[in-house]
Amino acid sequence: MEQNLKEKTGRNLDEWKAHLNGRGFEKHGEFMAYLKNDCGVSHGNANFIAHKARESDAPSHSPGDLIEEQYQGKESLWPIFE
């Protein structure tokens, strides 16, 4: 999606991030509404740009960490998972 962003929207991802920086948006919906209504970006591209600008698409934990957290305090169940 990022490869075609400039062709579809007129800006690459870094240009969109710079454009959105300092606009005071905090919620995903605020980014989406602005991109779709004011910039004419399609829903899919707006969603992609919003996630990348907010860095909300990157997992905060590795899958292994999530599994370990899930079984924390329930170590007796770990053999069932294994």
Side-chain angles (χ1 to χ4, degrees):
M1 188 169 243
E2 187 173 346
Q3 294 171 335
N4 297 319
L5 197 59
K6 183 146 182 124
E7 177 187 334
K8 301 286 183 185
T9 67
R11 295 181 178 158
N12 65 32
L13 184 57
D14 289 334
E15 292 169 329
W16 277 114
K17 285 180 178 181
H19 177 77
L20 294 170
N21 188 26
R23 294 210 177 258
F25 302 139
E26 293 182 21
K27 296 183 178 182
H28 186 79
E30 294 171 325
F31 282 89
M32 291 289 292
Y34 173 76
L35 290 166
K36 290 170 65 175
N37 299 330
D38 294 11
C39 300
V41 176
S42 71
H43 179 84
N45 283 320
N47 191 45
F48 174 77
I49 294 166
H51 276 297
K52 293 295 186 179
R54 297 180 63 231
E55 297 180 1
S56 62
D57 65 324
S60 59
H61 299 358
S62 72
D65 292 341
L66 292 174
I67 292 170
E68 286 179 22
E69 286 179 23
Q70 179 178 352
Y71 284 94
Q72 192 170 14
K74 305 173 202 161
E75 288 79 9
S76 64
L77 299 176
W78 189 260
I80 297 169
F81 172 76
E82 293 288 326

